[in-house]
Amino acid sequence: MILTNHQLQTLNTFGIAVSAQYFVSIETKETLLQLIATEAFQTAPHLVLGGGSNVLFTENFKGYILHNQLKGITILDHSTESVLVKAMSGENWHSFVEYCIEHNWGGVENLSLIPGTVGAAPIQNIGAYGVEVKDVIQTVEAIDLRTGIHRQFTAKECAFGYRESIFKTQYKNQYFITAVTFRLQPQPQQFELSYAAMRETLQSTNYMGEGCLNVRAVSEAVCHIRRTKLPDPTVLGNGGSFFKNPEVDSTFFAQLQQQYPTIPHYPISPQKIKIPAAWLIEQCGWKGKRVGNAGTHQNHALVLVNYGGATGSEIAAVASLIQASVVQKFNIHIQSEVNIIG
Ligand SMILES: Cc1cc2nc3c(=O)[nH]c(=O)nc-3n(C[C@H](O)[C@H](O)[C@H](O)COP(=O)(O)OP(=O)(O)OC[C@H]3O[C@@H](n4cnc5c(N)ncnc54)[C@H](O)[C@@H]3O)c2cc1C
């Protein structure tokens, strides 16, 4: 069924009150294929919407919003070395993580509580606490929205990078991801604990001793940290980190460090250094700053928030002002991680 002028306010975590000219709930691949075959669809703009936790709508959407409701989880293969599990793309990401934890499969526990759907996870190669989803993706299945042709991408073909994939570049808005297959570890013994906050949380709950650590404990530590650190979008509209951490070349960084000796940084190769965008934004005086109903969170300069009744354009305008400040002070362009629509 195609709904018209459908309200999207509860379907995006910024809580922006915009509507979709046409709104279709995609519960089966057949519904999608039938729609793709119509001329009306082929001649109008379209956007796949999952949990709406990485989009900022700046105006009413003129065209089709395809709301992903494809559900189901199937175990394809189970051996002592690995488990292959396929999840339909409309599954809630954290529910899928919970499913893996219940089965004691390792690989996604550090990605607990990231909002959104399974199908959006490969789009920006979601990551948290030292793990990126690319590390466990085997294949991504998708339908070409121009032709209806089904295609399977290997992880290599997805061209994953830091918050990047081929679905954000060459194939932006071209494919509807229908399913993702993950290769996970049965009975995992080793865990990614490079973040001090995770080790401290696990220590305080007595899980760090030998033989005590398990996927459940790691997931609970991640959930605890996230719940205490990040604003809940159901209370305060936001899209998580608004900007990516910029990567600069080491010569440029050396000059910057002379001027700002305390600048935090992480070498990612001999030539490239990553700088936390939050620090740059904070140095520009933006932490907790408010312009009308939009602004940054009081504890997180990187999280742009809707303080109530903000339009998407107001939030995008604050984002532009922040970008300009960072260019002016540091000569660094910070890129948006959130997809700005409109
Ligand atoms: C509080 C909060 C915390 C967050 N923390 C993290 C974090 O720790 N790490 C991290 O990486 N991200 C984080 N995010 C960002 C967000 O949760 C992820 O990017 C998530 O994968 C988005 O999923 P979604 O279903 O909500 O996607 P949506 O916002 O609905 O869509 C995002 C983009 O993907 C496209 N898309 C979605 N589904 C499909 C599909 N099936 N096929 C094709 N295209 C599709 C959309 O068209 C859009 O361009 C956070 C967001 C919030 C609000």
Side-chain angles (χ1 to χ4, degrees):
M1 193 173 44
I2 301 176
L3 303 174
T4 51
N5 300 323
H6 189 71
Q7 187 49 241
L8 301 176
Q9 189 167 19
T10 57
L11 300 175
N12 70 94
T13 60
F14 271 108
I16 304 297
V18 283
S19 61
Q21 186 181 14
Y22 304 113
F23 181 90
V24 190
S25 205
I26 304 295
E27 280 158 24
T28 64
K29 283 192 223 172
E30 289 66 37
T31 314
L32 180 60
L33 292 172
Q34 278 166 13
L35 186 66
I36 290 173
T38 64
E39 197 191 329
F41 179 78
Q42 287 305 330
T43 51
H46 48 251
L47 182 84
V48 184
L49 187 65
S53 63
N54 205 20
V55 285
L56 177 65
F57 288 103
T58 58
E59 58 187 15
N60 290 336
F61 191 79
K62 292 177 203 74
Y64 288 80
I65 290 284
L66 308 176
H67 192 217
N68 185 7
Q69 298 291 330
L70 299 177
K71 305 280 181 182
I73 300 179
T74 320
I75 300 168
L76 300 181
D77 190 40
H78 197 315
S79 73
T80 46
E81 277 85 45
S82 68
V83 182
L84 270 189
V85 55
K86 172 170 159 174
M88 296 305 286
S89 57
E91 287 286 339
N92 173 272
W93 172 259
H94 182 68
S95 305
F96 171 69
V97 171
E98 269 291 313
Y99 177 89
C100 299
I101 286 162
E102 272 160 32
H103 287 78
N104 195 22
W105 298 334
V108 287
E109 58 278 4
N110 290 43
L111 305 178
S112 298
L113 223 56
I114 296 182
T117 51
V118 164
I123 303 274
Q124 74 150 1
N125 178 25
I126 56 167
Y129 302 101
V131 171
E132 288 182 324
V133 77
K134 74 172 173 57
D135 303 334
V136 288
I137 287 182
Q138 180 82 1
T139 54
V140 171
E141 288 172 47
I143 287 174
D144 191 326
L145 289 167
R146 299 166 313 172
T147 60
I149 292 172
H150 177 269
R151 177 166 170 190
Q152 180 164 294
F153 294 82
T154 62
K156 192 162 178 242
E157 285 169 337
C158 292
F160 290 122
Y162 163 61
R163 300 294 178 276
E164 275 300 341
S165 76
I166 202 160
F167 304 108
K168 281 189 86 174
T169 53
Q170 193 181 337
Y171 294 144
K172 193 172 166 68
N173 293 335
Q174 189 178 324
Y175 282 92
F176 187 119
I177 293 177
T178 53
V180 183
T181 297
F182 301 87
R183 186 176 286 282
L184 302 169
Q185 230 195 319
Q187 316 288 336
Q189 304 292 326
Q190 294 197 324
F191 301 94
E192 165 55 49
L193 300 176
S194 55
Y195 276 66
M198 278 183 65
R199 295 194 301 276
E200 283 156 20
T201 307
L202 286 161
Q203 234 138 22
S204 70
T205 47
N206 293 325
Y207 271 114
M208 282 297 270
E210 204 167 308
C212 294
L213 213 50
N214 54 48
V215 278
R216 167 74 59 199
V218 174
S219 170
E220 279 175 7
V222 169
C223 291
H224 172 77
I225 299 167
R226 293 185 73 99
R227 284 198 181 104
T228 46
K229 248 185 65 179
L230 290 168
D232 179 351
T234 60
V235 179
L236 193 62
N238 74 88
S241 303
F242 199 91
F243 298 102
K244 297 206 259 186
N245 294 319
E247 297 171 359
V248 300
D249 78 61
S250 46
T251 322
F252 174 78
F253 179 76
Q255 292 162 4
L256 209 58
Q257 202 176 23
Q258 278 190 340
Q259 217 180 334
Y260 303 98
T262 60
I263 185 168
H265 60 283
Y266 312 92
I268 46 173
S269 76
Q271 293 82 34
K272 288 273 174 217
I273 311 280
K274 194 179 271 189
I275 304 172
W279 186 85
L280 298 169
I281 298 169
E282 213 174 314
Q283 295 300 304
C284 294
W286 275 101
K287 189 171 172 180
K289 212 165 164 178
R290 200 172 156 160
V291 183
N293 295 325
T296 59
H297 189 266
Q298 54 183 5
N299 300 329
H300 303 279
L302 195 51
V303 179
L304 267 63
V305 295
N306 177 357
Y307 278 108
T311 63
S313 303
E314 282 177 284
I315 294 171
V318 169
S320 299
L321 289 173
I322 291 173
Q323 281 172 318
S325 309
V326 174
V327 168
Q328 199 183 15
K329 192 169 172 75
F330 297 103
N331 198 19
I332 295 175
H333 176 69
I334 50 169
Q335 283 178 335
S336 160
E337 180 179 315
V338 171
N339 298 279
I340 299 172
I341 316 288

